[in-house]
């Protein structure tokens, strides 16, 4: 088996036994990235030197018998919206093309404490807004299964680098499905933890009340170990859950007895691709064979999920992104040119004796804000800022934002009720397999429907996971979506492991 | 003021809370550091940073709420107030919108000179929020640079909003005085206006009196930039006259014009129209998703209530009722702060003469503090030493005039009154000695004796002068009484 094919768990055992060094593993990943990332485009930045230095440090510590973290020597890729001290952190936006944070996010610190080797920053939709990674202002990412297709989004780079076997572990973030949908498109495992399970400190916020950082990997065991490494209460994040973090890696191989699986009838309606449905139903049959009981359930407010999401997410985003104003952070327009243009405009208006026009003219400050933001943000980000500004405006707040909060509560209550009858809710992760690049870029609403099945887990704050569960006739991966009650990640991971013991969908790899 | 209208004043006071660190991070709140040295990713609003509430700030808010008789709801939350301004790094300010931490209280105000009747001013709410930074406009030599200092960003503020219950600039000043006193007694804020720890915005308009039973109200004006209580009083007085004149000229009422903002120009002593920040009618408030709501238990509020110190109003009453000094005296002492109150109380207990103690504190002590620009804490004469001097006066060991000289000497030495009196040769004069001296001087001044017999009391003054020359230690009061007594029998 080539080094790049190994899972994190396999690598760790070989590192511990001394059969391998972290430098060898890291170099293998770097070689694989060099060889294939030209066609995949998963990485915005590869940190060769730092990674090798860290690997060498871990090898030295291991040799000296010093205590090591749980991911000691294993390469990890990080989505480029986690602040990393001293490294450009871009959010795939022109706005932050040159932003170097003077601090690291809690998750980066935890990865460092776990002695993981951070190998690079992965591409994404700008500010995590999108479902195909086509909104990145800094590069194109392609699906390793077929480079004409998108990898999904917004954690497209994070999923693609796993599918292309460039790295065994990668960090994603999920606001409405951004870990799970690309995991589904790329045939890897992605878990969105319970809101508050993983600290958001240092995550450049898109929608604070929905964003959650999560592990992406190729197996259930790796995911369990990875989640363990990044979870835990953080006093720097007041929304982080003050609960102890279970040792997920210790329980992942214990099968679930008497498992009750809920199938949501609304998930199998219009818009669902036939091949996806078939793969999902076959996966459910695997569980039934293992003794699980299937129960039909209903989540009646699920159908409002997308609408609710597209009120709440842009509202928060419009406020979170206000700080990128050119005055304090990020891109600032060329001031000399701007002032010159402003002067010309004023002269023209004066010449035309347009008093009203003159009165309405931008001040230099307003023009600086306006132009910096116009240049720094891409179209999807602008679209959402405008939506959010509108929905929060006086006179619209009650009709939109407040109503969305009420629906959000109803969605939560649906879940509470459902989880009295079942242990897990299972269905398709996305309504379709990976689609062709460019096919939905002019239809934002079609793109938004990619999150149809995933978005309600964010609105309810519950954990959810996507695992590979089949292939279409065209050879594209299909993801199985599993949702559990808050703080029951353990249940998801054990269910995923049960499935992976019986099937080998997770072991399928694209030929590059 | 005029009989033609009634003045309606409401005040919004921003108080900087005396915490060591900022509201949502651990940066220092100390005043006067070099620009941008007291900042961190959180208060700079850097991408990815998250706020975490400072419990101490909330506690100081609770203390104030209890002192101002405000209700503290169980549940309060944080909201974002969105607007663009160069001194606002996040593009929003964390504040409290529809569910403030306290609401619906009141404050009693009165005037020791009784120019208005004591009244209860309603307080609509007091809520916490973070401060913005400071813009420094450098417009010298045709430049239009603005420099931003973000040291102040994130400093905890309590915004206290009154009902429009005040009816004159004088009442407004009394409200501010009482509020400031309470806040400093509680230790909630240093209320230093020069350093911006206490900032006042005033909303003012007029209700024009007319035969029409419907009230005619002039448009509301919010006045900003007032940096002393005197400025508040003057700005209000100016604005009242201005509004009345504008109304007479234009007839515009509250229905015809929205609220506007004016700034107080202290140099020119006028208010001027101010540019609005942006469309201030729409701050797009919504709950801050980065901060957990705050739950306050009844026990917590109860505990804070129990821990409150004695408040100025109660102390005034106690000094008046318990020590028997006039209300005006009590007010002057209480206005000096808790240190002055303690000093007075100890002095009065040690001397046993509250009125005399009050006089000395109000006149001599305060005069020295003013002349030497000292805080009460820095007053050089201890209570014990001053009590020693006052007792000497009461025992007639020294007269008041000479006592003032001793007092002056005491300011610059550690010596007791008795030691200084000894150095100055001041000692109590024997009764028989006064008797002899009185007889001697009366004999030498038959004209004065004649006058005194005819009831011309002031004639005794010249005699006291002569006696003082012979023996500077004689007590003029005793000598005077002696003379009058002797003349009666002559
Ligand atoms: Zn700070």
């Amino acid at each position: 088996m080539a080094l790049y094919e190994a899972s994190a768990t396999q690598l760790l055992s070989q590192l511990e036994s001394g059969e391998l060094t972290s430098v060898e593993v890291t170099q293998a990943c770097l070689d694989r990235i060099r060889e294939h990332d030209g066609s995949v485009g998963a990485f915005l930045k590869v940190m060769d030197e730092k990674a090798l230095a860290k690997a060498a440090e871990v090898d030295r510590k291991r040799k000296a018998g010093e205590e090591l973290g749980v991911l000691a020597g294993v390469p990890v890729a990080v989505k480029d919206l986690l602040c990393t001290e001293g490294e450009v952190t871009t959010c795939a936006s022109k706005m932050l093309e040159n932003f170097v944070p003077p601090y690291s996010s809690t998750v980066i610190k935890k990865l460092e404490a776990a002695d993981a080797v951070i190998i690079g920053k992965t591409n994404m939709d700008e500010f995590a807004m999108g479902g195909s990674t086509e909104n990145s202002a800094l590069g194109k990412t392609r699906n390793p299964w077929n480079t004409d297709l998108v990898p999904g989004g917004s954690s497209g780079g994070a999923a693609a680098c796993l599918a292309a076997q460039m790295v065994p572990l990668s960090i994603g973030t999920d606001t409405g499905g951004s870990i799970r949908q690309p995991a589904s498109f790329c045939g890897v495992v992605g878990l969105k933890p319970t809101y508050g399970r993983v600290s958001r400190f240092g995550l450049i916020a898109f929608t604070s009340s929905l964003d959650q950082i999560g592990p992406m990997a190729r197996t259930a065991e790796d995911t369990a170990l990875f989640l363990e490494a990044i979870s835990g209460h953080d006093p720097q994040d007041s929304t982080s859950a003050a609960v102890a973090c279970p040792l997920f890696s210790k329980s992942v191989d214990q099968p679930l007895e008497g498992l009750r699986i809920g199938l949501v009838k609304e998930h199998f309606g219009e818009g669902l691709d036939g091949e996806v449905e078939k793969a999902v139903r076959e996966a459910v049959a695997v569980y039934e064979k293992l003794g699980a009981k299937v129960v039909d359930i209903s989540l009646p407010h699920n159908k409002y999920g997308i609408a609710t999401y597209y009120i709440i997410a842009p509202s928060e985003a419009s406020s979170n992104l206000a700080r990128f104003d050119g005055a304090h952070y990020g891109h600032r327009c060329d001031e000399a040119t701007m002032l010159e243009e402003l002067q010309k405009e004023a002269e023209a208006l004066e010449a035309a004796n347009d008093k009203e026009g003159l009165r309405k003219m931008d001040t230099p400050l307003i023009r600086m804000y306006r132009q910096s933001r116009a240049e720094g943000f891409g179209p999807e980000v602008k679209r959402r800022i405008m939506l959010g500004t509108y929905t929060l405006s006086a006179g619209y707040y009650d009709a939109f934002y407040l109503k969305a909060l009420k629906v959000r509560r109803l969605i939560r209550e649906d879940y509470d009720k459902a989880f009295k009858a079942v242990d897990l809710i299972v269905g398709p992760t996305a309504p379709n397999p990976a689609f062709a690049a460019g096919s939905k870029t002019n239809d934002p609403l079609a793109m938004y429907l990619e999150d149809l099945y995933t978005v309600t887990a964010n609105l309810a704050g519950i954990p959810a996971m996507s695992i590979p569960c089949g292939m279409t006739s065209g050879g594209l991966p299909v993801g199985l979506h599993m949702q559990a009650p808050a703080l029951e990640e353990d249940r998801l991971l054990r269910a995923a492991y049960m499935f992976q013991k019986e099937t080998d969908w997770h072991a399928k790899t694209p030929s590059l | 003021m005029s009989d033609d209208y009634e003045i309606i004043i409401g005040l919004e006071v921003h108080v900087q809370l005396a915490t060591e660190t900022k509201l949502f991070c651990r940066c220092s709140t100390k005043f006067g550091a070099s620009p941008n040295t007291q900042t961190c990713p959180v208060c700079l609003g850097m991408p990815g940073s998250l706020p975490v509430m400072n419990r101490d700030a909330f506690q100081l808010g609770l203390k104030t709420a209890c002192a101002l008789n405000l209700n503290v709801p169980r549940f309060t939350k944080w909201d974002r107030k969105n607007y663009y301004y160069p001194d606002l790094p996040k593009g929003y300010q964390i504040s409290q919108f529809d569910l403030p931490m306290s609401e619906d209280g009141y404050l009693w105000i009165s005037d020791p000179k009784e120019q208005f009747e004591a009244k209860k001013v309603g307080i609509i709410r007091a809520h916490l929020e973070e401060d913005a930074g400071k813009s420094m406009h450098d417009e010298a030599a045709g430049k239009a640079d603005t420099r931003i200092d973000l040291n102040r960003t994130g400093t905890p503020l309590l915004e206290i909003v009154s009902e429009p219950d005040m009816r004159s600039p004088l009442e407004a000043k009394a409200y501010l005085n009482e509020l400031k006193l309470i806040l400093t007694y509680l230790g909630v804020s240093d209320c230093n206006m020069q350093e911006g720890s206490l900032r006042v915005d005033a909303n003012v308009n007029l209700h024009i009196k007319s035969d029409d039973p419907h009230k005619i109200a002039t448009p509301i004006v919010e006045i900003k930039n007032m940096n002393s209580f005197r400025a508040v009083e003057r700005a209000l007085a100016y604005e009242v006259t201005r509004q009345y004149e504008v109304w007479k000229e234009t007839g515009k009422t509250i229905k015809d014009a929205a609220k506007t903002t004016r700034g107080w120009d202290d140099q020119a002593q006028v208010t001027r129209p101010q540019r609005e920040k942006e469309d201030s009618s729409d701050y797009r408030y919504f709950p801050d998703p980065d901060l957990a709501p705050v739950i306050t238990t009844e026990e917590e509020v109860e505990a804070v209530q129990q821990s409150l110190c004695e408040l100025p109003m109660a102390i005034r009453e106690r000094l008046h009722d318990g020590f028997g000094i006039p209300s005006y005296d009590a007010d002057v002492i209480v206005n000096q702060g808790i240190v002055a109150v303690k000093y007075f109380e100890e002095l009065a207990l040690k001397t046993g003469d509250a009125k005399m103690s009050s006089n000395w504190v109000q006149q001599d002590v305060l005069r020295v503090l003013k002349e030497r620009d000292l805080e009460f804490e820095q007053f050089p004469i201890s209570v014990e030493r001053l009590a020693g001097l006052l007792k000497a006066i009461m025992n007639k060991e020294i007269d008041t005039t000479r006592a003032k000289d001793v007092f002056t000497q005491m300011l610059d030495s550690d010596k007791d009154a008795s030691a200084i009196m000894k150095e100055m040769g001041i000692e109590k004069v024997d009764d028989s000695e006064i008797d002899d001296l009185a007889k001697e001087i009366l004999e030498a001044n038959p004209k004065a004796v004649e006058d005194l017999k005819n009831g011309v009391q002031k004639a005794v003054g010249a005699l006291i002068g002569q006696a003082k020359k012979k023996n500077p230690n004689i007590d003029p009061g005793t000598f005077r009484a002696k003379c009058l007594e002797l003349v009666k029998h002559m």
Side-chain angles (χ1 to χ4, degrees):
Chain A
M1 182 170 74
L3 264 188
Y4 58 78
E5 290 176 79
S7 72
T9 312
Q10 287 164 338
L11 288 172
L12 273 169
S13 82
Q14 284 179 285
L15 285 165
E16 271 153 28
S17 69
E19 288 163 64
L20 269 180
T21 66
S22 175
V23 170
E24 287 170 315
V25 174
T26 305
Q27 193 57 59
C29 289
L30 290 170
D31 291 345
R32 182 89 180 155
I33 293 169
R34 190 171 314 129
E35 198 178 334
H36 294 292
D37 205 40
S39 58
V40 176
F43 284 91
L44 287 175
K45 181 174 191 179
V46 182
M47 288 135 72
D48 307 56
E49 273 176 41
K50 263 196 188 172
L52 285 168
K54 174 76 183 184
E57 168 71 6
V58 173
D59 288 338
R60 186 199 61 73
K61 274 162 95 177
R62 197 175 323 252
K63 225 173 168 182
E66 288 174 37
E67 209 176 309
L68 286 167
V70 294
L71 296 177
V74 178
V76 174
V78 176
K79 188 173 177 178
D80 201 23
L81 47 36
L82 283 186
C83 288
T84 312
E85 188 180 338
E87 294 288 341
V88 175
T89 302
T90 68
C91 271
S93 179
K94 274 197 189 136
M95 188 54 99
L96 289 178
E97 209 171 348
N98 300 308
F99 175 63
V100 182
Y103 50 95
S104 279
S105 53
T106 301
V107 163
I108 293 282
K109 283 191 186 149
K110 279 186 173 276
L111 288 176
E112 282 166 356
D115 288 309
V117 173
I118 297 171
I119 208 158
K121 299 289 208 80
T122 57
N123 198 15
M124 55 188 279
D125 282 303
E126 183 179 2
F127 284 103
M129 297 178 195
S132 65
T133 312
E134 288 167 291
N135 293 331
S136 168
L138 304 179
K140 278 192 165 50
T141 303
R142 293 173 174 87
N143 193 318
W145 292 87
N146 177 344
T147 50
D148 292 333
L149 309 183
V150 300
S154 64
S155 307
C161 70
L162 283 172
Q165 295 176 297
M166 294 169 181
V167 51
L169 301 175
S170 101
I171 290 274
T173 66
D174 191 312
T175 308
S178 285
I179 284 177
R180 293 160 286 158
Q181 184 253 24
S184 167
F185 282 12
C186 292
V188 299
V189 178
L191 192 161
K192 181 204 90 74
T194 307
Y195 183 77
R197 174 69 91 185
V198 179
S199 167
R200 289 188 297 114
F201 187 86
L203 157 68
I204 299 180
F206 157 25
T207 305
S208 310
S209 74
L210 301 171
D211 293 343
Q212 190 58 202
I213 299 168
M216 301 180 79
R218 293 196 293 263
T219 70
E221 298 118 289
D222 280 10
T223 311
L225 185 67
F226 199 12
L227 179 63
E228 204 173 292
I230 60 172
S231 296
H233 177 67
D234 180 4
Q236 283 186 288
D237 174 358
S238 78
T239 63
S240 107
V243 293
C245 174
L247 296 176
F248 302 111
S249 64
K250 299 284 183 288
S251 58
V252 65
D253 57 356
Q254 293 162 22
L256 295 159
E257 305 283 343
L259 187 64
R260 297 169 301 165
I261 284 180
L263 289 189
V264 185
K265 59 172 189 261
E266 293 89 352
H267 282 180
F268 294 91
E270 206 188 328
L272 179 61
D273 179 280
E275 287 192 298
V276 171
E277 176 168 0
K278 185 165 163 277
V280 169
R281 290 208 186 271
E282 278 168 10
V284 171
V286 171
Y287 279 109
E288 277 184 297
K289 202 189 81 195
L290 290 171
K293 199 176 134 211
V294 173
V295 182
D296 282 323
I297 57 163
S298 172
L299 296 171
H301 296 94
N302 241 20
K303 58 176 177 282
Y304 303 119
I306 292 286
T308 307
Y309 176 83
Y310 279 97
I311 301 290
I312 291 173
S315 295
E316 291 187 26
S318 71
S319 172
N320 282 333
L321 268 54
R323 69 192 69 200
F324 306 110
D325 58 4
H328 301 95
Y329 311 106
H331 173 80
R332 182 183 292 186
C333 65
D334 182 66
E335 284 171 283
T337 317
M338 175 206 88
L339 287 171
E340 221 171 274
E341 280 170 14
L342 208 54
Q343 181 65 31
K344 270 188 211 146
E345 279 172 41
E347 280 163 14
L349 289 168
E350 259 163 45
N353 200 22
D354 182 352
K355 291 217 174 76
E356 181 67 7
L358 276 167
R359 201 181 58 78
K360 281 190 173 163
M361 256 189 73
D362 285 343
T363 62
L365 177 69
I366 296 292
R367 177 61 64 91
M368 191 279 284
Y369 284 156
R370 205 193 284 285
Q371 200 164 322
S372 300
R373 286 169 72 80
E375 291 168 3
F377 290 136
E380 181 60 24
V381 175
K382 286 178 188 162
R383 186 177 296 128
R384 297 203 195 186
I385 288 174
M386 287 196 285
L387 264 174
T389 305
Y390 179 78
T391 48
L392 286 179
S393 296
Y396 298 103
Y397 181 89
D398 288 1
F400 294 110
Y401 188 79
L402 208 59
K403 185 156 271 176
L405 290 188
K406 285 178 188 162
V407 178
R408 185 175 182 175
R409 201 178 59 233
L410 294 174
I411 288 171
R412 261 187 217 146
E413 286 168 4
D414 279 358
Y415 274 116
D416 288 345
K417 218 162 154 195
F419 283 125
K420 286 199 177 102
V422 298
D423 302 308
L424 288 176
I425 295 171
V426 168
T429 304
N432 44 261
F435 49 86
S439 65
K440 296 192 182 187
T441 38
N442 292 323
D443 189 354
L445 291 178
M447 191 77 92
Y448 294 170
L449 288 175
E450 284 300 312
D451 294 337
L452 188 62
Y453 306 130
T454 48
V455 72
T456 46
N458 299 77
L459 290 166
I462 60 170
M465 189 172 185
S466 178
I467 58 171
C469 74
M471 284 282 172
T472 64
S473 52
L476 294 176
V478 174
L480 181 71
H481 192 224
M482 297 190 287
Q483 304 175 79
L487 299 173
E488 297 289 348
E489 286 86 351
D490 170 71
R491 205 181 285 174
L492 293 174
L493 290 162
R494 288 165 68 188
Y497 185 84
M498 283 166 71
F499 186 78
Q500 293 189 348
K501 272 197 80 174
E502 295 299 314
T503 62
D504 62 355
W505 298 112
H506 63 287
K508 300 240 182 287
T509 53
S511 52
L512 287 169
Chain B
M1 299 303 140
S2 163
D3 290 337
D4 303 337
Y5 53 78
E6 189 177 27
I7 308 164
I8 312 295
I9 300 168
L11 296 172
E12 284 172 26
V13 178
H14 283 88
V15 183
Q16 180 180 326
L17 297 174
T19 52
E20 295 282 317
T21 57
K22 295 184 178 180
L23 187 48
F24 298 115
C25 66
R26 302 282 185 85
C27 290
S28 168
T29 52
K30 238 177 143 169
F31 180 81
S34 326
N36 299 308
T37 52
Q38 288 173 175
T39 57
C40 71
V42 175
C43 57
L44 291 178
M46 292 198 92
S49 63
L50 292 173
V52 175
M53 185 186 78
N54 177 353
R55 265 272 151 199
D56 290 348
F58 193 78
Q59 201 68 18
L60 292 183
L62 277 183
K63 248 182 161 176
T64 313
C66 289
L68 297 178
N69 312 293
L70 290 148
N71 293 325
V72 177
R74 283 282 182 85
F75 176 95
T76 186
K77 66 176 171 74
W78 301 98
D79 300 283
R80 291 185 183 177
K81 180 179 180 180
N82 295 282
Y83 65 92
Y84 283 96
Y85 211 67
D87 62 17
L88 193 70
K90 294 192 292 290
Y92 59 84
Q93 179 189 21
I94 305 175
S95 181
Q96 301 195 290
F97 181 49
D98 54 342
L99 300 172
M101 66 158 298
S102 64
E103 52 195 343
D104 197 16
Y106 59 86
L107 173 63
W108 275 98
I109 60 168
S110 61
D111 180 33
K113 291 180 185 155
E114 293 180 345
Q115 296 174 77
F116 64 84
E117 263 180 66
K119 74 189 287 184
K120 202 169 162 180
V121 176
I123 295 174
I124 299 172
R125 58 189 274 160
H127 69 259
L128 289 161
E129 62 183 31
E130 57 173 352
D131 207 346
K134 231 164 69 183
S135 301
M136 289 162 295
H137 304 290
D138 178 10
E139 283 161 14
K143 279 202 290 185
D145 279 3
T146 297
R147 287 159 194 279
I148 311 282
D149 177 7
L150 296 177
N151 279 352
R152 207 176 65 185
T153 310
T155 299
L157 298 179
L158 190 71
E159 181 175 343
I160 303 166
V161 184
S162 86
E163 296 276 4
D165 281 350
M166 283 149 283
R167 293 290 169 270
S168 69
L170 194 67
E171 288 185 11
K173 198 175 149 198
Y175 170 84
L176 290 172
N177 241 327
E178 192 64 11
L179 188 60
K180 177 179 169 178
L181 217 49
I182 291 174
L183 296 167
T184 42
Y185 268 73
L186 290 175
V188 153
S189 172
D190 64 15
C191 293
N192 186 330
M193 284 189 93
Q194 278 79 50
E195 294 178 4
S197 306
L198 193 146
R199 281 170 262 160
V200 184
D201 299 336
N203 285 290
V204 58
N205 74 338
L206 308 176
H207 287 174
I208 311 283
K209 289 178 185 159
S210 74
D211 301 334
D212 185 342
H214 297 290
K215 257 187 283 187
I216 302 170
T218 59
I220 296 175
V221 168
E222 183 173 1
I223 317 175
K224 291 180 182 278
N225 291 355
M226 300 169 289
N227 54 12
S228 70
F229 289 172
R230 226 165 99 101
V232 173
E233 208 183 355
R234 290 183 172 185
L236 285 169
Y238 174 88
E239 187 57 26
V240 163
T241 317
R242 191 192 68 83
Q243 281 187 26
Y244 188 57
E245 275 162 15
V246 170
W247 179 77
K248 277 197 295 188
E249 203 178 303
T250 66
K252 271 195 179 161
T253 72
I254 196 161
K255 291 190 192 101
D256 309 317
K259 179 168 142 178
T260 50
T261 307
R262 297 177 73 86
W264 173 243
D265 182 340
D266 209 39
Q267 215 99 51
Q269 298 276 305
V270 295
T271 64
R272 296 184 198 282
Q274 236 182 14
R275 209 176 53 182
E276 306 282 320
K277 274 193 179 171
E278 62 163 23
D279 190 3
S280 54
S281 62
D282 185 6
Y283 285 116
R284 285 173 285 118
Y285 279 102
F286 76 105
D288 192 321
D290 286 332
L291 280 159
V294 188
I295 310 292
T296 317
T297 62
E298 258 167 60
E299 292 76 46
E300 226 174 311
V301 178
E302 188 74 17
V304 171
Q305 195 87 52
Q306 297 299 324
S307 76
L308 288 188
C309 63
E310 196 183 9
L311 293 174
M313 188 64 93
I315 300 177
R316 276 190 204 100
E317 260 168 48
R318 191 164 55 76
L319 297 191
H320 174 62
D321 298 345
F323 286 89
I325 60 171
S327 299
Y328 181 83
D329 287 31
D331 188 61
V332 172
I333 292 170
V334 170
N335 278 336
Q336 295 302 314
I338 191 70
V339 182
V341 170
K342 291 227 171 81
Y343 192 97
F344 161 74
E345 283 179 288
E346 280 177 41
L347 190 63
L349 289 173
K350 284 206 160 70
T351 61
D353 187 337
K355 180 61 189 156
M356 185 189 195
S357 300
S358 152
N359 287 347
W360 273 79
V361 169
Q362 281 185 69
Q363 289 154 24
D364 304 272
V365 176
L366 293 189
R367 177 178 45 78
V368 169
L369 293 179
K370 202 173 166 202
E371 281 167 7
R372 302 195 172 189
D373 194 22
L374 296 176
E375 296 295 319
F376 210 105
E377 291 88 321
Q378 299 165 301
F379 182 65
I381 305 177
S382 69
V383 174
E384 285 74 19
R385 291 170 68 218
L386 187 57
L389 179 61
L390 301 201
K391 273 192 202 148
I393 300 170
M394 290 161 72
N395 294 337
K396 305 216 185 315
E397 288 161 32
I398 182 169
D399 67 68
T400 312
T401 317
R402 301 202 76 198
K404 306 258 165 172
D405 298 336
V406 173
F407 176 78
T408 307
Q409 298 244 347
M410 286 170 82
L411 287 169
D412 299 308
S413 88
D414 299 335
K415 290 173 193 153
D416 285 349
S418 58
I420 292 173
M421 283 162 64
K422 208 169 193 178
E423 276 173 21
M424 293 172 73
I426 299 170
E427 50 189 36
K428 189 171 180 180
V429 184
D430 223 53
D431 275 358
S432 62
E433 220 175 303
I434 291 183
D435 209 41
D436 293 347
L437 195 59
K439 281 179 188 152
E440 184 191 326
I441 288 179
L442 284 174
E443 238 162 71
N445 294 280
K447 172 81 175 70
V449 173
E450 200 60 29
D451 286 349
L452 284 173
K453 276 190 171 168
N454 294 331
V456 186
Q457 293 268 330
K458 67 176 179 190
V460 84
L463 303 184
I464 294 172
Q466 290 179 32
K468 277 231 150 203
K469 254 181 214 159
K470 294 206 177 222
N471 184 353
N473 287 332
I474 63 145
D475 175 59
T478 317
F479 181 80
R480 175 198 181 90
K482 193 83 227 168
C483 287
L484 293 178
E485 187 200 317
L486 288 171
V487 167
K488 230 185 262 175
H489 298 106
M490 280 171 103

